[in-house]
Amino acid sequence: MTQSWIDYLIIVAYFVAVLGIGFYCSRGEKSSVNYLLGGRKMPAIAVGLACMMALLSSISLVQVPGEIYNYGLTLFIISGTLGMLLNIPAYLLFVRFYFRLGSFTPYEYLEYRYDSSVRAIVAISAFYARTMYLAMVLYTTAKIFEASYHWAPWFSILLVGVVGMIYTVKGGAKAVVWTDVLQFFVLFGSFVLLIILVCTKIDGGAVEAVRCAFANGHGVPQFSDPDFYSLSPYVRLLFFLMIWNAFIAPLTSACSDQITIQRYLSTKNWKEGFKAKLVATGSALIFTLMLWFTGLAIYTYYVQNPVGAPGAGEGDKAFFVFMANHLPTPMPGLFMAGMLAAIMSTLSAGMNSMATIWLKEFHVKFINKKLDDAGEVRISKLATLWIGVFSILLALALEVSGKWLSQSVSEVGTLFGLLGAAILPAFLFAVLSSRANSKLIWAYTAFAFGEGWGWNAWYALSRSDWQAWVRDNSLPWGYAGKIGFSMVLWPLIIGLVILIPYAFKKLRRMWIGKVSALGGMAVLGYAEAILIWYIYSNALITDAPQARSFYFFLPISLIGAFIVLLFCPKQPKEKYQGLTVWTLDEPILNQNSAESDEK
């Protein structure tokens, strides 16, 4: 079905509206506090809705219905219940410290607990991780327009990315928050209308939409599969790792996600921020249930009407193919405006928050420490521009990766998550223990980086060779079969050799000793991941080649770091007093300009 001119007119009108808000909010933005934090006077309800919209991106809108259409609801059922409820205690665990310090970013806290080097490395890791997230948003946006309007992916990525950059550069935090509030109502209304229309097209209505999907194995079928409760890397989803992720994801977001933390810090104190958190969690729960139902309903519709249904593994397109082909004009245009609302809210919040990290963590610390207010606003706008450009380039790289490994949206970001492993331990150790120290964080960062390379090698090589074998069974199994111990032995030996200079006490404080320690730990982390690959491939691969699941990981290094932490010496009092959960009521030492959260 070719979309009518009315649908395109609605989309153009939406773009004009958000650009107009950006230009309107640009008036009077003469300080970084106003531009980046809305003057710390934003209302809690608006901030809460903005936080929810910032994370309800095109990733969710494509991934959730697509995953349900392809495999069922299992991937989201635990994270959408347990994980969402844990968002509230996770906020209380971390964010109060940022209000006490009057922070722009959560990484300022790390300099109090560790030193400037840990602050810098964690900020770099988080900066990359969230810029990667913005690229994922653009990538999934391309999937939406490819399915609905047959636009080339590169065109969608450029169009949406450039518009998002322009209104974020112009308006700053106020434009982001107030646009998000508008977009919340646009998206909510669009979903309500869509759900009503889908139910009218299903024989049996809403009840049948759920019953049919569950009856055909697209509810939670994995819960009855014994393999689901194993720890095999060759099973797509695993119960115990999903439970682990449900705990880890909200902690990671609450401690370091600048996108949402910056929104909370734009309120006047942590109590107002907590109200915003409650609003965000409640509205996110509503949208989660709506997305679940939409995925189940779209699947049921195509069971009842198989002509024109997307094929196996094409679930990422199902929702938007239905919308484009089965909704009357102007519904497709209205709903695409709703989709753009979610997409733009995420892009604007992400670009604005990444600009804050660049300004406060890098530019004023390492490039120009004497910027005035006007200079800070100017650098923030330039940073927003370049972050947008980098996100667009990464999105194009994701498009190439997705085609190479035939990945769904749920899987495509697997190869690009190398730098995020050390973020949570740095914050978690800091708030829980007076023994947290910079040496442990640096060692873990290096080890986890190497470990990530090992996991990625296993995933990419095994999946590539497995796909080749599926196409031609006469080919050798390659990396999708058993691997030899030499793949483990060589990096193990190399890592130990690199560590030799650090064994000499005189060299430890010199650059050669530090490089030796970090390099050796990274190579040993790689060796550990390859060792796990070796053990599993030789134990489990027998009759056919296997590819590692995108979801499989073992938190061995994190658990090991916790154990090491127990044996570290207690740090000086000025490093932790008032900055751990056990000393929250005590004054912070060596603090020159922190603001109390008890106001």
Side-chain angles (χ1 to χ4, degrees):
M1 176 178 176
T2 302
Q3 302 306 315
S4 75
W5 65 270
I6 296 177
D7 297 322
Y8 286 103
L9 181 62
I10 291 171
I11 292 172
V12 171
Y14 172 80
F15 278 125
V16 172
V18 296
L19 287 172
I21 292 174
F23 279 87
Y24 178 81
C25 291
S26 66
R27 301 176 304 165
E29 300 293 4
K30 297 179 179 179
S31 74
S32 58
V33 172
N34 282 333
Y35 184 77
L36 299 174
L37 296 179
R40 298 189 191 268
K41 296 178 181 179
M42 300 301 295
I45 293 177
V47 168
L49 294 178
C51 286
M52 190 282 295
M53 288 297 294
L55 297 180
L56 183 70
S57 65
S58 56
I59 299 174
S60 302
L61 298 174
V62 175
Q63 181 188 46
V64 176
E67 176 73 14
I68 293 171
Y69 187 93
N70 286 335
Y71 303 104
L73 190 58
T74 304
L75 179 60
F76 310 110
I77 197 72
I78 295 175
S79 62
T81 52
L82 176 62
M84 191 169 295
L85 292 175
L86 287 172
N87 277 319
I88 295 173
Y91 171 94
L92 295 174
L93 181 62
F94 294 106
V95 180
R96 282 185 291 178
F97 295 110
Y98 312 149
F99 277 101
R100 295 197 77 185
L101 296 171
S103 301
F104 275 80
T105 76
Y107 316 105
E108 295 179 39
Y109 168 76
L110 295 179
E111 188 162 356
Y112 282 87
R113 289 294 285 114
Y114 300 106
D115 55 35
S116 59
S117 68
V118 170
R119 175 179 177 176
I121 190 62
V122 175
I124 290 169
S125 299
F127 184 83
Y128 170 79
R130 268 319 185 190
T131 305
M132 185 68 241
Y133 176 74
L134 295 180
M136 279 290 295
V137 171
L138 289 171
Y139 170 76
T140 49
T141 299
K143 294 299 178 186
I144 292 173
F145 281 101
E146 185 179 24
S148 303
Y149 291 86
H150 307 293
W151 292 357
W154 66 266
F155 177 77
S156 301
I157 290 169
L158 287 174
L159 174 65
V160 177
V162 169
V163 172
M165 277 192 295
I166 292 173
Y167 91 81
T168 306
V169 166
K170 290 300 296 181
K174 290 179 182 177
V176 171
V177 170
W178 288 117
T179 305
D180 285 352
V181 173
L182 167 67
Q183 290 166 337
F184 169 84
F185 291 105
V186 172
L187 186 62
F188 183 80
S190 299
F191 256 100
V192 170
L193 287 174
L194 177 78
I195 288 172
I196 292 171
L197 287 170
V198 172
C199 288
T200 63
K201 293 179 177 290
I202 293 175
D203 294 335
V207 173
E208 181 62 17
V210 177
R211 190 210 65 79
C212 177
F214 272 74
N216 285 273
H218 283 254
V220 287
Q222 290 86 351
F223 280 82
S224 61
D225 182 359
D227 288 341
F228 181 52
Y229 302 95
S230 71
L231 285 178
S232 169
Y234 307 119
V235 176
R236 187 172 185 271
L237 298 177
L238 297 167
F239 175 77
F240 295 108
L241 293 184
M242 291 177 70
I243 292 288
W244 174 266
N245 241 9
F247 278 95
I248 294 301
L251 289 173
T252 303
S253 177
C255 75
S256 66
D257 182 11
Q258 183 71 20
I259 291 178
T260 54
I261 291 171
Q262 186 167 327
R263 307 282 84 76
Y264 297 132
L265 293 177
S266 68
T267 61
K268 65 180 180 180
N269 56 40
W270 79 266
K271 292 179 181 178
E272 288 297 304
F274 184 61
K275 292 177 185 177
K277 183 64 179 179
L278 294 176
V279 171
T281 301
S283 56
L285 180 60
I286 293 171
F287 266 102
T288 296
L289 295 174
M290 294 173 75
L291 275 173
W292 289 0
F293 179 81
T294 300
L296 297 171
I298 296 297
Y299 174 79
T300 296
Y301 174 82
Y302 281 118
V303 168
Q304 295 182 352
N305 304 274
V307 176
E314 295 184 332
D316 291 341
K317 299 179 180 180
F319 181 19
F320 304 98
V321 169
F322 172 85
M323 182 201 68
N325 294 333
H326 301 291
L327 296 184
T329 300
M331 276 301 299
L334 290 171
F335 195 77
M336 285 307 297
M339 296 296 100
L340 286 168
I343 294 163
M344 289 296 180
S345 65
T346 305
L347 288 175
S348 61
M351 291 177 187
N352 182 251
S353 60
M354 293 305 99
T356 305
I357 293 179
W358 174 261
L359 174 68
K360 295 297 182 180
E361 299 300 323
F362 307 129
H363 198 92
V364 299
K365 286 182 70 67
F366 303 111
I367 299 175
N368 187 349
K369 297 181 180 181
K370 298 181 180 180
L371 277 178
D372 58 14
D373 283 340
E376 289 193 350
V377 172
R378 184 182 70 255
I379 294 300
S380 297
K381 291 182 176 183
L382 286 173
T384 302
L385 177 65
W386 286 111
I387 289 161
V389 170
F390 187 52
S391 299
I392 289 171
L393 294 175
L394 279 174
L396 296 173
L398 285 171
E399 172 67 16
V400 173
S401 170
K403 289 181 178 178
W404 171 42
L405 296 176
S406 302
Q407 297 164 302
S408 70
V409 168
S410 297
E411 302 166 346
V412 75
T414 303
L415 293 181
F416 295 85
L418 285 175
L419 295 179
I423 296 172
L424 176 60
F427 284 96
L428 195 59
F429 295 176
V431 299
L432 293 180
S433 175
S434 59
R435 300 176 185 274
N437 61 88
S438 59
K439 286 186 178 180
L440 175 60
I441 299 303
W442 272 104
Y444 179 81
T445 299
F447 189 91
F449 181 75
E451 187 181 41
W453 276 106
W455 288 116
N456 279 356
W458 183 2
Y459 175 77
L461 294 175
S462 65
R463 187 176 177 91
S464 179
D465 283 355
W466 174 76
Q467 288 178 331
W469 181 84
V470 168
R471 291 190 294 266
D472 183 357
N473 293 163
S474 66
L475 292 176
W477 293 3
Y479 291 106
K482 301 176 186 291
I483 66 168
F485 188 70
S486 61
M487 287 186 64
V488 181
L489 185 61
W490 280 112
L492 180 62
I493 293 173
I494 292 170
L496 292 173
V497 170
I498 294 174
L499 277 174
I500 289 175
Y502 189 75
F504 295 94
K505 194 172 183 179
K506 291 183 179 180
L507 298 178
R508 287 180 186 175
R509 294 189 178 184
M510 299 172 62
W511 69 267
I512 189 172
K514 294 176 181 179
V515 171
S516 162
L518 294 176
M521 292 299 292
V523 177
L524 290 178
Y526 177 85
E528 179 243 34
I530 303 301
L531 175 62
I532 296 171
W533 180 6
Y534 167 79
I535 292 170
Y536 272 113
S537 68
N538 282 271
L540 298 181
I541 295 177
T542 54
D543 302 326
Q546 300 282 347
R548 192 206 116 196
S549 165
F550 77 103
Y551 201 80
F552 179 80
F553 65 95
L554 293 177
I556 294 173
S557 59
L558 179 57
I559 294 172
F562 260 112
I563 295 172
V564 172
L565 178 67
L566 298 176
F567 295 94
C568 290
K570 195 171 184 178
Q571 298 299 295
K573 198 171 185 178
E574 59 269 18
K575 280 290 186 180
Y576 67 84
Q577 181 174 299
L579 296 169
T580 68
V581 294
W582 320 113
T583 63
L584 187 59
D585 295 330
E586 300 177 19
I588 299 173
L589 302 178
N590 296 331
Q591 182 186 6
N592 296 322
S593 59
E595 297 176 5
S596 173
D597 66 333
E598 302 299 333
K599 293 180 180 179

